[in-house]
Amino acid sequence: MAKIAIDPITRIEGHLRIEAQVDGGEVTEAWSSATMWRGIEQILIGRDPRDAWYFTQRI
Amino acid sequence: MTAEKITLGQGLQKRGVSRRSFLKFCGAMTAALALPARYTSRIAEAVETKPRPPLLWLEYQDCAGNTESLLRASQPTVAQLVLDVLSVDYHETIMAPAGHQAEKSLRDTMEKYKGQYIVVVEGSIPTKDDGVYCTIGGRTALDLVKDIGGSAAAVIAAGTCAAYGGLPAAAPDPTGAVGVSKVLSTVPILNLPGCPMNVINLTATVVHYLTFGELPAVDQFGRPLFAYGERIHDHCERRAHYDAGQYAEAWGDEGHRKGWCLYKMGCKGPETYHNCPVVRWNEGTNWPIGAGHGCAGCAEPGFWDSMTPFYRRLPNTPGFGVETSADKVGLGVVAGVTGAFTMHGLVSAMRATGEPLAEHETINKEENTDG
């Protein structure tokens, strides 16, 4: 029984970490984590709604 | 993707790029760098003979928009090659290895080419709460950028986030996001802001580095003067409409359909320094203002706060005031033209009365006989 972690996951847009519990060559449990946070929801609060597309386009 | 000591010239030959296309590319780069044409041969020589430096592309608080911009360099074959042949040893979005293998690739280049590799950073670096808002392989972006960037020959901050904090740093800046130059000071850093940066400017920067062995001259915001030395407004194809007081007043109105100035729709061109109107996007096809949307000011530090709301017009515009410009400029022009006509009239009158016969009279007579 071993736990493996793949970080960074490449060839994707964004940051991702995958951890998996491997038991006899089979994954029995797995966890994913997004390892980057910017708080765009908080940044949008109080702004002109017409600007929202420009901000969220950068997600 | 291991770095071999081959030159770009060899890479080009392998790809079957003709000498003619190569020199054409060098000429375009000379122009992009705002250098006199005689530098073309020097650039060609440097690009052909200097070993390509390994490049590590690091992504932190990013959206991969600058990566998209980089990949858009695929059409002009030679421009692509400069970047392709650059030996990109680490780039999370496009590299084959993942996890430990990816990290190994990074470490190998760092050890083998210590002090020689170029680092491109995309995305801001969060500093709040010990940098927990961005981690890769269990290490914070803050720790990584100091480590990897600290042993580089030069660091290029690609895009406004890496240069100045960008979107994550917009109020209320939840993660304490900053640009590379705020956390790294031991190596030369060049900012290529823009949301995203234009890949032509990255290519030109690399070519400059290969040719002169140093990063290009910069302004007070660390941006290369060749790309950020002039305002959008100065080279805007709609500038004549601005000067003539012809503005789009609503989306889809007559002025908008006719391609008039977008200043009143919130265009930030008058306060933004970038070569966007000259180099354009998508193989020089078009650019935001050409497509009918005002400039958002994306190459300026803090534009997410200082240039928003995007659709509110700028309060004051450098140069002459816009509110009164149409009339004032119009009157000025009329006065100037009247003056010119008056002078012309006086000179003509003097000539007409003088002896010998003035030249224009001879011409007039000839015209009359023709009629």
Side-chain angles (χ1 to χ4, degrees), chain B residues 57-107:
Chain B
W57 186 290
L58 311 176
E59 290 173 82
Y60 298 129
Q61 282 181 305
D62 73 318
C63 68
N66 297 288
T67 295
E68 290 291 338
S69 189
L70 170 80
L71 300 177
R72 291 296 173 273
S74 61
Q75 275 312 305
T77 51
V78 193
Q80 179 206 4
L81 276 165
V82 168
L83 298 162
D84 189 8
V85 178
L86 248 180
S87 169
V88 180
D89 290 357
Y90 185 88
H91 190 312
E92 284 164 33
T93 306
I94 55 178
M95 71 193 299
H100 293 304
Q101 288 165 312
E103 294 299 311
K104 187 181 179 302
S105 179
L106 176 71
R107 295 290 141 199

Side-chain angles (χ1 to χ4, degrees), chain B:
Chain B
M1 288 198 280
T2 47
E4 298 156 46
K5 284 277 176 188
I6 72 162
T7 67
L8 179 56
Q10 289 164 323
L12 292 170
Q13 257 181 358
K14 235 161 88 178
R15 295 280 187 123
V17 172
S18 73
R19 181 80 191 154
R20 187 185 167 83
S21 325
F22 173 68
L23 289 175
K24 217 168 126 187
F25 163 78
C26 292
M29 283 296 116
T30 311
L33 287 166
L35 290 169
R38 66 174 187 277
Y39 276 90
T40 305
S41 56
R42 198 167 156 193
I43 284 176
E45 196 192 329
V47 171
E48 268 185 311
T49 56
K50 299 259 172 81
R52 57 198 184 135
L55 188 141
L56 303 173
W57 186 290
L58 311 176
E59 290 173 82
Y60 298 129
Q61 282 181 305
D62 73 318
C63 68
N66 297 288
T67 295
E68 290 291 338
S69 189
L70 170 80
L71 300 177
R72 291 296 173 273
S74 61
Q75 275 312 305
T77 51
V78 193
Q80 179 206 4
L81 276 165
V82 168
L83 298 162
D84 189 8
V85 178
L86 248 180
S87 169
V88 180
D89 290 357
Y90 185 88
H91 190 312
E92 284 164 33
T93 306
I94 55 178
M95 71 193 299
H100 293 304
Q101 288 165 312
E103 294 299 311
K104 187 181 179 302
S105 179
L106 176 71
R107 295 290 141 199
D108 286 352
T109 301
M110 279 180 67
E111 278 166 31
K112 198 171 167 191
Y113 298 100
K114 192 175 163 65
Q116 296 167 49
Y117 59 86
I118 292 177
V119 165
V120 176
V121 178
E122 173 174 14
S124 54
I125 295 121
T127 57
K128 208 183 257 182
D129 302 324
D130 295 323
V132 294
Y133 299 109
C134 181
T135 64
I136 295 156
R139 293 175 69 189
T140 64
L142 188 61
D143 179 26
L144 287 165
V145 78
K146 284 181 186 173
D147 180 21
I148 305 165
S151 298
V155 176
I156 298 168
T160 306
C161 292
Y164 314 116
L167 172 57
D173 188 7
T175 60
V178 296
V180 183
S181 54
K182 281 270 159 61
V183 295
L184 193 65
S185 55
T186 50
V187 294
I189 299 168
L190 185 89
N191 292 330
L192 288 180
C195 199
M197 57 111 202
N198 195 315
V199 73
I200 293 170
N201 296 331
L202 176 65
T203 312
T205 298
V206 170
V207 165
H208 187 283
Y209 184 78
L210 287 176
T211 309
F212 303 105
E214 59 180 22
L215 294 171
V218 295
D219 67 4
Q220 74 268 37
F221 299 116
R223 308 178 289 193
L225 290 165
F226 76 80
Y228 302 87
E230 283 169 334
R231 286 184 307 164
I232 296 269
H233 196 52
D234 298 329
H235 293 283
C236 182
E237 64 212 18
R238 301 191 182 201
R239 178 59 185 265
H241 294 296
Y242 171 90
D243 292 342
Q246 295 173 319
Y247 304 103
E249 307 263 355
W251 300 116
D253 72 357
E254 195 196 354
H256 190 227
R257 289 201 302 276
K258 283 183 170 168
W260 287 359
C261 176
L262 296 163
Y263 169 78
K264 289 189 176 178
M265 304 308 291
C267 181
K268 306 298 187 289
E271 289 189 0
T272 306
Y273 288 79
H274 206 187
N275 57 357
C276 207
V278 181
V279 298
R280 298 170 170 243
W281 299 84
N282 298 326
E283 317 308 325
T285 308
N286 210 343
W287 66 300
I289 291 174
H293 191 281
C295 165
C298 75
E300 295 302 315
F303 83 97
W304 293 100
D305 292 320
S306 65
M307 299 291 193
T308 50
F310 290 125
Y311 301 103
R312 190 173 65 194
R313 76 169 99 167
L314 288 167
N316 295 300
T317 299
F320 42 80
V322 167
E323 285 304 276
T324 51
S325 72
D327 288 347
K328 273 189 183 167
V329 171
L331 286 173
V333 169
V334 170
V337 169
T338 313
F341 275 125
T342 312
M343 273 310 286
H344 183 255
L346 283 172
V347 172
S348 299
M350 282 159 73
R351 280 168 140 187
T353 50
E355 291 290 332
L357 196 66
E359 197 182 20
H360 74 278
E361 282 192 7
T362 322
I363 295 163
N364 285 344
K365 278 175 186 167
E366 279 168 4
E367 279 169 359
N368 288 339
T369 51
D370 282 342

